[in-house]
Amino acid sequence: MSNRTAFWIFILGTASSALLFIFLTVDMHRQVDALTNADKLTDDVVAGKKVWEKYNCNDCHTLLGFGGYYAPDMTKVYKRRGEDGIRFIVKEPEKAFAKSWRKMPKQNLSDAEINSLIAFLKWVSEINNGDWPPQDSDKRIANSALKLTAGAGVNLGMALLQDKGCLSCHNYKGVGDEDVPLEKAGEKYDAETLKKLIHNPQSVNKDASMPPQDGLSDAELETIVNFLKSKN
Amino acid sequence: MKYKSQGIARAYFTVALLLFVLQVIVGLYLAFNYFFTVPQGVVDAFPFSTARAFHTNLLVLWMLLGFMGGAYFIVPEETEREIYSTKLAYIQLILLVGTGVAALVGFLFGWTQGRPLLEIPTLLDLFVVVGALMFLFNIGMTMITARKWTVIQGTLLGGLVFLAVMYLFGIPFYKNTSIDWYYWWWVIHLWVEGAWELITSAIMAFVLLKLTGVERKVVEKWLYVEIGLFLFTGIAGTGHHYYWLAAPRYWLWIGGIFSALEPVPIVLMVLDTWNHVRHRKLEIKNHLTFVYVVGCAVLHLAGAGVLGIVHTLPQINYYTHGSQVTVSHGHLAFFGAYALLNLTIFYFAFPQLKGIVRYDEKLGRICFWTMSLSMLGITLAFGVAGVIQSYVERVMGLGYMTAQGHMKLWMAIAFAFGLVFLVGVIVMVYDLLFMKPARQEA
């Protein structure tokens, strides 16, 4: 090979790749508004992005899988934790993670900032990003309780605890995230109180830090309560 | 040292080395956070996020100072002329280090742009741009007034300009997060798999040329082929970061195919380095430089090439993206490709800067193996943790903290290897800064 050939390998290699890349970048700009629901990208969402950046959230958490790996991915957190969940954690991380072995800093955000942040996270959770991350994938989570039950012959109640995110804060026989065990709940409360507690925790215990769970159907609530009662 | 102004490099290298030590110390603190419960009060005052901003910004700063010092060392020899303005080079160093210190202190007080690796606030970005312009002006004027062009200096200048231009894409505020990350990768990816590879290729070619005495024409021919392949695979290979950020689906194909080819130029670099070393025509004065050159090529391949390709295909990346697998790859890739590259040029240049012909290699060898082996250990521990995380959190869906619990042990092992690594780094810095002539000479 001559130096001239080598030179042309360099020129053509670089130019072809760069042209392809620039062409696809232009096309990305053409498509991105539809993929990211840019019509819903309100001033509040933008304000939320600024809050996200102001408190450097992204150096502990990932967003779209980018950033720090020290804390959970926030792409679909809105679906996982809901508005109340996010508000509680951001406002009082020292309570939310009191029993966790990993802490989140208390950054004293104003209520307005938290509202914008939630709007931002809601918007992010709805963009069309190829159903990532897998642990929060709608496609995989849909029917996963039934699949788990059918496939492994496990209890539907336990599968619901997993599926509805209860185990993001609670723990059942060593499964789940934080050290707030559910085993004792069935012993401590009767079925009606348990239902009330899940629906609106503060109505039973006014110091409860758990956000109200109003996304459960009556049948699901029934199954969970029966499960907690039956296992004692 | 043939030209007086090459002495500028010494100041750049010294600062870079000290920042490297600081980077590793902060890195240890980060690893510690993964298996030990840091109390709420400490977390409130000095969160993990601030420490991470330190770790990554120190990395960028020390490596860029190393590259710049390397350029100030290489360009006079290539152009056969002194650097255009020595004074400007020192002013530039003071400006950049001052900006770096201001940025780090700022992070402690929450002064941040809040985007990973690009945390430096916009005001300080302007200082960085001014520093970069001073640098490019100085290097460019040296080359222009010398009127002597070589492929090595062209590649070096091309890489440095490319680097500076890409930095600009990281400065604006983007409303849309997807577009934000799209251009974030123009800085990060097109640096490490574009501009920095050009700089690496140029520095490696220069060192090999000087050490081995292989004909310039041959070195430059392979240099062209390497940078051609680096840019061919690297530019469109940016697509492997666009899988899950709401860009069009075809990026899965583009990213997958181009990044599958990314190891090719690195393999070529390893073969070519080995070939030049084998066919050397000059007497070897310091074996250690070869150890660093070959070590750099091999670990570049292992970290950037092999560990890159194992999780770059979309089907795998779906589960490993943004996990400790990325961390494992990142550490060996940066160490192999860019830390060892910097150390190669440091070990090549320092003896000349101090007027030592043959130096005592014992400590240098010990620290090379200490750093390289412990970094392999760190990589392995992060890798195991990453596989556990991908499986427990992503495949099984058992929750983030459940996975973190299973990973604790491996993060502690990474920390232990990190301590060994720190010792290696400190010995290396000592060895370079207080280098002594070999005994027979003294």
Side-chain angles (χ1 to χ4, degrees), chain A residues 2 4-5 23 46 52 54 58 78 107 133 146 151 210 220:
Chain A
S2 69
R4 209 180 147 75
T5 318
F23 172 76
V46 175
W52 170 259
K54 177 178 170 189
N58 219 161
Y78 185 83
Q107 310 221 58
L146 291 172
M210 170 173 154
E220 285 167 341

Side-chain angles (χ1 to χ4, degrees), chain B residues 196-340:
Chain B
W196 290 27
E197 292 281 15
L198 292 186
I199 297 167
T200 302
S201 304
I203 292 179
M204 287 286 266
F206 174 79
V207 172
L208 283 170
L209 184 75
K210 297 286 162 179
L211 281 181
T212 62
V214 170
E215 221 184 322
R216 181 180 278 272
K217 248 181 93 176
V218 178
V219 172
E220 293 194 335
K221 180 173 77 181
W222 289 112
L223 178 59
Y224 265 138
V225 178
E226 272 165 27
I227 58 175
L229 290 175
F230 269 128
L231 292 175
F232 177 72
T233 58
I235 294 175
T238 315
H240 63 224
H241 301 291
Y242 295 164
Y243 297 160
W244 322 116
L245 54 67
R249 298 282 290 174
Y250 51 67
W251 283 112
L252 299 180
W253 286 94
I254 305 286
I257 291 167
F258 278 86
S259 46
L261 296 171
E262 276 188 277
V264 175
I266 317 178
V267 171
L268 188 67
M269 186 186 255
V270 173
L271 293 177
D272 161 53
T273 305
W274 184 241
N275 229 355
H276 290 334
V277 171
R278 231 168 32 131
H279 293 118
R280 61 182 171 260
K281 291 174 182 149
L282 297 178
E283 180 214 358
I284 302 176
K285 293 201 191 84
N286 297 294
H287 270 280
L288 186 59
T289 327
F290 282 111
V291 174
Y292 274 92
V293 171
V294 176
C296 174
V298 171
L299 289 182
H300 187 164
L301 179 63
V306 178
L307 287 181
I309 204 171
V310 297
H311 71 142
T312 192
L313 294 179
Q315 295 86 338
I316 295 169
N317 191 260
Y318 185 66
Y319 294 101
T320 58
H321 172 55
S323 72
Q324 293 293 328
V325 173
T326 315
V327 176
S328 166
H329 156 65
H331 278 77
L332 194 61
F334 268 106
F335 177 74
Y338 301 123
L340 282 181

Side-chain angles (χ1 to χ4, degrees), chain A residues 17 27 29 49 59 69 131, chain B residues 52 119 180 232 250 318:
Chain A
S17 195
D27 186 67
H29 276 287
K49 184 172 185 280
D59 259 329
Y69 313 114
D131 207 24
Chain B
R52 186 176 187 270
E119 292 93 345
D180 190 350
F232 177 72
Y250 51 67
Y318 185 66

Side-chain angles (χ1 to χ4, degrees), chain A residues 158 162 166-179, chain B residues 398-399 401-402:
Chain A
M158 184 65 197
Q162 172 79 267
C166 310
L167 299 184
S168 299
C169 297
H170 291 290
N171 177 299
Y172 192 90
K173 301 225 189 279
V175 179
D177 260 5
E178 311 303 338
D179 191 22
Chain B
L398 287 182
M401 285 306 289
T402 308

Side-chain angles (χ1 to χ4, degrees), chain B residues 65-302:
Chain B
L65 291 178
F67 290 156
M68 288 169 170
Y72 283 128
F73 187 84
I74 290 171
V75 169
E77 287 203 25
E78 285 290 294
T79 55
E80 296 173 349
R81 178 189 188 288
E82 296 285 353
I83 290 291
Y84 181 74
S85 164
T86 311
K87 205 167 138 195
L88 188 64
Y90 284 114
I91 294 173
Q92 178 215 334
L93 177 64
I94 292 166
L95 175 73
L96 289 178
V97 173
T99 308
V101 172
L104 295 180
V105 174
F107 293 160
L108 286 175
F109 296 97
W111 193 33
T112 172
Q113 213 186 328
R115 295 155 75 220
L117 273 85
L118 305 179
E119 292 93 345
I120 299 185
T122 316
L123 175 68
L124 293 182
D125 278 337
L126 294 178
F127 287 106
V128 174
V129 170
V130 172
L133 287 175
M134 283 167 136
F135 173 68
L136 291 176
F137 172 76
N138 212 350
I139 293 289
M141 282 308 283
T142 310
M143 291 183 186
I144 289 167
T145 48
R147 294 169 188 276
K148 182 172 173 294
W149 296 94
T150 68
V151 181
I152 290 178
Q153 54 157 294
T155 306
L156 187 63
L157 183 66
L160 293 167
V161 172
F162 187 16
L163 188 162
V165 171
M166 286 303 123
Y167 187 75
L168 301 177
F169 287 92
I171 296 178
F173 173 81
Y174 299 92
K175 282 184 180 179
N176 188 321
T177 298
S178 293
I179 297 176
D180 190 350
W181 286 107
Y182 191 93
Y183 287 109
W184 189 84
W185 286 111
W186 282 40
V187 187
I188 308 304
H189 175 95
L190 290 176
W191 268 15
V192 295
E193 275 147 90
W196 290 27
E197 292 281 15
L198 292 186
I199 297 167
T200 302
S201 304
I203 292 179
M204 287 286 266
F206 174 79
V207 172
L208 283 170
L209 184 75
K210 297 286 162 179
L211 281 181
T212 62
V214 170
E215 221 184 322
R216 181 180 278 272
K217 248 181 93 176
V218 178
V219 172
E220 293 194 335
K221 180 173 77 181
W222 289 112
L223 178 59
Y224 265 138
V225 178
E226 272 165 27
I227 58 175
L229 290 175
F230 269 128
L231 292 175
F232 177 72
T233 58
I235 294 175
T238 315
H240 63 224
H241 301 291
Y242 295 164
Y243 297 160
W244 322 116
L245 54 67
R249 298 282 290 174
Y250 51 67
W251 283 112
L252 299 180
W253 286 94
I254 305 286
I257 291 167
F258 278 86
S259 46
L261 296 171
E262 276 188 277
V264 175
I266 317 178
V267 171
L268 188 67
M269 186 186 255
V270 173
L271 293 177
D272 161 53
T273 305
W274 184 241
N275 229 355
H276 290 334
V277 171
R278 231 168 32 131
H279 293 118
R280 61 182 171 260
K281 291 174 182 149
L282 297 178
E283 180 214 358
I284 302 176
K285 293 201 191 84
N286 297 294
H287 270 280
L288 186 59
T289 327
F290 282 111
V291 174
Y292 274 92
V293 171
V294 176
C296 174
V298 171
L299 289 182
H300 187 164
L301 179 63

